[in-house]
Amino acid sequence: MDHYLEQLKDEWLIEVTIEEIQEQLESNKITSRQLVLMYLSRIAKVDQGGPKINSIIEVNPEALHIADSLDYERKTKGSRGPLHGIPVVIKDNIDTADKMHTSAGSLVLAESYAKEDATLVKQLREAGAIILGKTNLTEWANFIAEDMPTGYSSRGGQVLNPYGTDFIVGGSSAGSGAAIAANLAVVAVGTETSGSILSPASQNSLVGIKPTVGLISRKGIIPISHTQDTAGPMARSVKDAAILLNVLTGKDSQDPITLTNDLADLDFTNHLIKEGLKGKKIGIARETYFDELNESHLTVMNNAINKLKELGAEVVDPITIPSTNEEWDINVLLYEFKTDLNAYLKTIDSSIGVRTLADVIKANEQIGEKALKFGQKLFLDANATSGNLIEPEYLESLEKDDTLSKTKGIDHVMQEQGLDAIVFPNNFGAMIPAKAGYPSITVPAGYTNEGEPVGITFTAKAYMEPTLLEIAYSYEQATKHRVAPFQAK
């Protein structure tokens, strides 16, 4: 057994899928305890040593004990399902009522313990997942300073891209992206307000699903904006992402938008169709977004578009999203952040000493340079708002965002052209579906000449995740671009 496990660690753990792990668990060739130990070993060697990716901000002290209990349950009662005994990492802005902190990467919340599991954490535990640890992130989900580097937090330091330290790691779910790319866990949960799942998925050659706002409960996630926030899966394959999405989705009376979710009981793996691109009509959003690409990135994207045609898709190239070049603002985020964060802070232990955004700002000032290496301008701007969501400035921006992203944006062009999906390069263009609350999925599209990962992102209207999965799976299976990063091998 020892020799077999050593072989697994060296040859099998890299790029292993949920299905492959379950086959080993069911045949008693490994246990979940042994699996956890393997991943902890990789975290020590790759994340904290060697290339020092720095993607894990904290490991779960109870992970081995949880694994033991799930091994016993498998032996005595059988498996709960595909995630039974599977190590998962989650972003450090998601509440866990255990021995791990929930800090958003902030020194102010470095000793904060959540009183209750986030709804999605409860669902993971019920499915038998092992929460292996929390991942580092761009501090406060990149809503503290204007010039914050992606993947940096004052508590966790800088996350590095395992494909090369010269490449940006993507934010704000940087740790979730780098950890899964470097094979430090099986799958991860990230969060997104605007590009924060899609960006690290693109940069780390992963599949990232930014769901419709309403598909997954946000209860127990440190907020930015109730209009735009969502959690979502990050994985090395579309199938693993779909399996995780099955567990994360659901209705929650404490997050009313989820009551609009008609996909709560859907098995997303039923939409993993190899011929899923045949007959799909896909528009290419070239204007502005492709202009941001250098020649190497553009070559990868053009090759990907040609592949869509080869796989039977009808490609409309280019399309024009009417609102692309409108002047957008972040007023909705500024107003909602103050209101939503103040509400969240009332749920944490009073001994932390912060109950409002103003308290956090003051606490950062007291800590000094270590907490404010890049300042806190967005905090100050948000705190300068009244915190009252009846202000004309807020309401006008809310209506403007909704109109420009939907009726004069994605809805308009999809209806006009009869599209099933829109293509964006990497995470460029993430803002418009983010403001609409619409879903996107990023899939590896290849690598530049320098070895930097490039992702192709497919976007559609609300609750069109099944269509997006069909497209993404078909593209992935035909191309299989993803390879493990050199530094993580």
Side-chain angles (χ1 to χ4, degrees):
M1 175 68 82
D2 290 341
H3 173 73
Y4 179 74
L5 288 175
E6 201 59 38
Q7 186 180 32
L8 281 183
K9 189 190 299 183
D10 292 340
E11 300 175 9
W12 175 78
L13 197 62
I14 307 300
E15 303 296 286
V16 71
T17 67
I18 291 172
E19 273 191 337
E20 289 166 344
I21 291 173
Q22 289 297 350
E23 287 172 6
Q24 298 289 324
L25 291 169
E26 286 296 312
S27 61
N28 296 315
K29 289 184 177 178
I30 61 168
T31 64
S32 289
R33 179 185 181 84
Q34 290 164 338
L35 188 61
V36 167
L37 286 170
M38 289 184 214
Y39 279 118
L40 291 176
S41 175
R42 279 195 61 76
I43 289 170
K45 291 178 181 178
V46 176
D47 200 59
Q48 300 302 304
K52 198 170 175 57
I53 301 303
N54 202 35
S55 64
I56 306 295
I57 202 168
E58 188 169 3
V59 295
N60 187 352
E62 299 175 314
L64 284 171
H65 292 163
I66 294 169
D68 286 338
S69 69
L70 290 165
D71 284 333
Y72 179 78
E73 183 179 327
R74 183 187 296 272
K75 184 178 178 180
T76 57
K77 297 181 181 179
S79 172
R80 299 188 192 183
L83 285 190
H84 188 113
I86 298 295
V88 177
V89 290
I90 65 174
K91 191 174 178 180
D92 184 37
N93 61 346
I94 301 173
D95 285 348
T96 55
D98 52 21
K99 296 179 180 178
M100 290 188 290
H101 305 87
T102 304
S103 73
S106 165
L107 291 175
V108 174
L109 298 184
E111 295 303 321
S112 180
Y113 292 93
K115 296 178 180 179
E116 184 181 1
D117 279 341
T119 299
L120 73 83
V121 172
K122 292 178 184 177
Q123 292 167 194
L124 285 169
R125 295 195 201 277
E126 289 168 4
I130 300 167
I131 298 176
L132 185 65
K134 296 281 188 84
T135 56
N136 200 358
L137 67 158
T138 314
E139 188 169 338
W140 291 100
N142 203 21
F143 205 75
I144 175 173
E146 288 186 325
D147 299 317
M148 182 74 77
T150 63
Y152 175 82
S153 71
S154 55
R155 179 183 172 216
Q158 180 65 53
V159 182
L160 299 179
N161 189 322
Y163 285 91
T165 56
D166 292 338
F167 305 140
I168 66 166
V169 69
S172 65
S173 303
S176 295
I180 300 309
N183 289 279
L184 305 181
V186 187
V187 289
V189 180
T191 68
E192 174 159 333
T193 304
S194 182
S196 291
I197 290 172
L198 304 179
S199 169
S202 295
Q203 288 299 124
N204 291 276
S205 202
L206 294 179
V207 176
I209 300 177
K210 181 271 180 186
T212 304
V213 172
L215 195 74
I216 297 171
S217 173
R218 286 89 52 85
K219 174 70 167 59
I221 299 175
I222 297 176
I224 293 178
S225 160
H226 57 262
T227 296
Q228 294 183 204
D229 290 349
T230 183
M234 302 180 73
R236 292 182 292 268
S237 71
V238 175
K239 187 166 191 178
D240 280 0
I243 290 170
L244 180 55
L245 189 62
N246 278 345
V247 170
L248 297 177
T249 188
K251 298 187 178 186
D252 181 1
S253 61
Q254 296 186 78
D255 186 1
I257 189 61
T258 64
L259 302 182
T260 69
N261 178 9
D262 289 331
L263 307 180
D265 299 318
L266 184 71
D267 183 350
F268 290 103
T269 64
N270 289 335
H271 290 271
L272 305 181
I273 302 168
K274 284 190 176 182
E275 306 296 319
L277 271 163
K278 280 192 174 178
K280 295 291 195 302
K281 193 172 183 181
I282 298 176
I284 312 301
R286 283 196 183 268
E287 184 181 6
T288 301
Y289 307 111
F290 279 70
D291 295 340
E292 299 181 41
L293 304 178
N294 62 33
E295 185 176 345
S296 189
H297 284 81
L298 185 59
T299 297
V300 174
M301 282 305 303
N302 284 334
N303 288 339
I305 292 165
N306 288 334
K307 194 66 180 178
L308 297 178
K309 298 174 185 176
E310 289 178 23
L311 294 171
E314 180 184 351
V315 174
V316 183
D317 185 6
I319 60 165
T320 298
I321 300 173
S323 58
T324 294
N325 295 313
E326 290 281 349
E327 290 188 12
W328 302 81
D329 60 51
I330 61 167
N331 290 335
V332 170
L333 273 59
L334 292 171
Y335 274 87
E336 291 186 0
F337 181 65
K338 182 175 182 178
T339 299
D340 294 355
L341 183 65
N342 286 352
Y344 172 83
L345 291 172
K346 288 178 173 59
T347 71
I348 69 172
D349 195 319
S350 59
S351 66
I352 301 300
V354 291
R355 277 288 181 265
T356 65
L357 174 58
D359 293 339
V360 177
I361 291 170
K362 183 177 179 181
N364 275 330
E365 291 170 347
Q366 290 171 342
I367 295 169
E369 174 66 17
K370 194 172 181 182
L372 294 175
K373 186 175 181 180
F374 299 96
Q376 53 181 340
K377 185 178 187 305
L378 291 177
F379 272 16
L380 295 170
D381 289 349
N383 197 51
T385 68
S386 67
N388 190 335
L389 298 186
I390 63 168
E391 294 289 346
E393 182 180 51
Y394 166 73
L395 294 174
E396 288 167 8
S397 287
L398 183 67
E399 182 182 17
K400 176 184 174 183
D401 284 357
D402 192 75
T403 300
L404 292 181
S405 64
K406 295 178 182 177
T407 56
K408 293 185 179 179
I410 292 171
D411 291 4
H412 174 88
V413 70
M414 287 190 71
Q415 183 174 351
E416 180 184 63
Q417 299 288 345
L419 301 177
D420 294 293
I422 297 170
V423 162
F424 295 101
N426 289 330
N427 69 306
F428 300 148
M431 182 194 67
I432 294 181
K435 286 183 178 290
Y438 285 177
S440 299
I441 182 167
T442 292
V443 184
Y447 304 85
T448 66
N449 295 333
E450 297 74 31
E452 182 179 8
V454 180
I456 182 171
T457 298
F458 301 98
T459 293
K461 293 193 286 187
Y463 296 117
M464 286 185 67
E465 281 85 354
T467 298
L468 292 179
L469 283 167
E470 290 172 9
I471 291 168
Y473 185 75
S474 178
Y475 177 80
E476 174 201 54
Q477 291 300 297
T479 58
K480 297 190 175 177
H481 284 301
R482 176 174 164 80
V483 294
F486 174 78
Q487 289 173 289
K489 290 183 180 178

